[in-house]
Amino acid sequence: MITRRTALMGAAISALVLTAPALAVELKLPRERVTLVDPPFVHPHEQATKQGPKIVEFKLEIQEKEIVIDDQGTKLQAMTFNGSIPGPLMVVHEGDYVELTLVNPETNSMPHNIDFHAATGALGGGELTLINPGEQVVLRWKATRTGVFVYHCAPGGPMIPWHVVSGMSGAVMVLPRDGLKDGSGKLLRYDRIYYIGENDFYIPRDAKGKFKSYKSAGDGYNDMVEVMRKLTPTHVVFNGRVGALTGKNAMAANVGETVLIVHSQANRDSRPHLIGGHGDYVWETGKFANPPEKGLETWLIRGGSAGAALYTFRQPGIYAYVTHNLIEAVELGATAHFKVEGTWNDDLMTQVKPPEPITPGAQGMLDLSTTAPHYHR
Ligand SMILES: [Cu+2]
């Protein structure tokens, strides 16, 4: 039933293509094939480049598979780009061409496609990439705008939100050819980059309130849509599950290192906050043609967008990176950790006195007998 329905959605999308797109023109540009890596890691790339534009080849395989999304063993019949939630971050430079081979293996049950927010025309490529199980397609688009941008599956109608909240989103980063700038022309560089993809999940419950599991994504469709329509997620997580980026999975950094944190949310607003740190430079809307904001405490990632925050760690320790709706961070799962090594700076913070019993009468009062001699009379 689901398969028939999605096939119909596909037909609806095809009908939107009024003119057949021109056949691919051969581009006389150098090619580079990039192997994608699972988030939060990002494939090696130049931050600024002296080379001319090229065609950057990527391959994404769509994987429908069951995953566990929390410590209680709650299961989701997920839909993924390359098996990870979010899909991998693809990095190119302005003026490059992204050439994506999208593969929908025969073992999958549904049609899928990809809509690149960074691309221009044909529903972000969604019209040209709808493929059934057993098919693959190659799409090429020119990266004309710099910034971080979401990509997601958008197979038509009600399939769109369902595929997105089942895991099908990721991000592209288009860097300026001469690198990131601070807004007054100064070059900004990062020592490390991490990609955090946030996901809201809507897991149906049984009559006793326990999370239900299903044999296939299609089996759970009707129940999940009912939960989705209430707009209240059961889980809000980073990188596919509660705890994907905490504890032993914490993101590493050293004091003095500058980290670029790319954060995407394909469906719902989020407000990242680094507890005990800041955003030194934040492209809140994620677009590098705009000057970054400086010294932020919390920023907003609009649903359907990606943002980027640059921060130089100044103190060692464990930092929680959360969405500062703290209910979502603590109760629903949207917490990540940075584990930062280095030397503590007492000037920035020090515990003047460790916890001790309250001294009666002394709390909050100036002791004039010791401070008085310092006053000029
Ligand atoms: Cu899909």
Side-chain angles (χ1 to χ4, degrees):
M1 183 64 201
I2 290 303
T3 309
R4 204 177 132 245
R5 180 169 193 174
T6 48
L8 289 174
M9 290 305 161
I13 267 214
S14 303
L16 288 173
V17 189
L18 298 176
T19 49
L23 281 175
V25 203
E26 214 193 312
L27 284 175
K28 299 256 185 300
L29 288 176
R31 287 177 170 267
E32 184 190 357
R33 183 167 298 172
V34 170
T35 304
L36 293 166
V37 301
D38 287 352
F41 304 105
V42 180
H43 65 82
H45 57 272
E46 283 186 300
Q47 292 181 38
T49 183
K50 293 202 165 67
Q51 295 174 26
K54 57 190 172 189
I55 301 166
V56 188
E57 300 173 358
F58 299 100
K59 186 177 179 182
L60 281 179
E61 185 185 276
I62 296 157
Q63 295 177 23
E64 299 171 5
K65 61 176 191 181
E66 183 179 87
I67 61 166
V68 171
I69 59 166
D70 61 22
D71 297 337
Q72 287 71 50
T74 304
K75 287 174 184 151
L76 168 73
Q77 291 293 341
M79 307 176 206
T80 71
F81 288 108
N82 258 23
S84 64
I85 299 179
L89 183 74
M90 301 178 212
V91 185
V92 299
H93 291 89
E94 184 180 11
D96 286 348
Y97 292 78
V98 171
E99 191 170 290
L100 173 77
T101 302
L102 185 66
V103 180
N104 190 359
E106 209 166 24
T107 44
N108 286 342
S109 64
M110 282 173 283
H112 300 279
N113 69 353
I114 191 164
D115 165 0
F116 284 101
H117 288 193
T120 307
L123 307 180
E127 277 177 0
L128 307 178
T129 53
L130 191 71
I131 45 175
N132 288 307
E135 293 182 330
Q136 66 173 47
V137 64
V138 182
L139 176 75
R140 188 170 70 214
W141 55 271
K142 190 174 188 177
T144 57
R145 292 162 199 274
T146 58
V148 282
F149 298 82
V150 160
Y151 65 77
H152 63 91
C153 187
M159 294 298 110
I160 301 172
W162 182 45
H163 284 223
V164 169
V165 302
S166 296
M168 291 193 86
S169 71
V172 170
M173 179 161 76
V174 182
L175 286 164
R177 297 202 81 78
D178 55 354
L180 297 175
K181 302 280 176 52
D182 72 344
S184 33
K186 196 186 116 203
L187 192 67
L188 296 172
R189 294 189 62 84
Y190 44 90
D191 301 300
R192 295 172 189 253
I193 175 171
Y194 290 111
Y195 170 39
I196 297 173
E198 183 179 322
N199 225 104
D200 40 326
F201 290 136
Y202 302 83
I203 310 297
R205 295 175 193 269
D206 64 18
K208 289 182 183 148
K210 274 187 63 183
F211 288 124
K212 288 171 79 171
S213 61
Y214 300 87
K215 283 205 177 62
S216 72
D219 283 345
Y221 173 75
N222 288 329
D223 287 357
M224 193 184 288
V225 168
E226 212 174 295
V227 184
M228 285 160 57
R229 290 180 72 106
K230 295 193 169 68
L231 302 176
T232 305
T234 54
H235 299 72
V236 178
V237 303
F238 297 145
N239 292 29
R241 64 162 289 161
V242 178
L245 300 173
T246 60
K248 67 175 172 39
N249 303 319
M251 295 170 283
N254 293 311
V255 169
E257 281 184 336
T258 299
V259 177
L260 185 68
I261 307 164
V262 176
H263 186 133
S264 69
Q265 224 302 8
N267 192 61
R268 195 167 173 276
D269 295 349
S270 179
R271 19 192 137 137
H273 171 80
L274 178 65
I275 302 178
H278 301 91
D280 288 334
Y281 298 93
V282 180
W283 293 268
E284 191 182 69
T285 56
K287 306 306 167 278
F288 302 137
N290 306 302
E293 288 197 82
K294 299 186 185 88
L296 298 195
E297 59 173 321
T298 298
W299 44 101
L300 178 72
I301 303 298
R302 294 145 185 81
S305 77
L310 195 71
Y311 183 59
T312 305
F313 283 96
R314 292 147 171 95
Q315 296 278 41
I318 303 288
Y319 291 71
Y321 175 93
V322 299
T323 177
H324 215 289
N325 175 323
L326 296 168
I327 302 162
E328 293 176 10
V330 178
E331 297 292 339
L332 301 191
T335 297
H337 287 160
F338 284 94
K339 187 173 184 224
V340 182
E341 312 266 5
T343 310
W344 183 262
N345 180 342
D346 267 333
D347 184 44
L348 284 174
M349 185 182 283
T350 194
Q351 188 179 47
V352 178
K353 275 181 157 190
E356 61 179 4
I358 299 166
T359 314
Q363 195 192 20
M365 288 179 65
L366 269 181
D367 182 348
L368 291 175
S369 66
T370 57
T371 54
H374 298 290
Y375 292 147
H376 296 287
R377 297 188 188 173

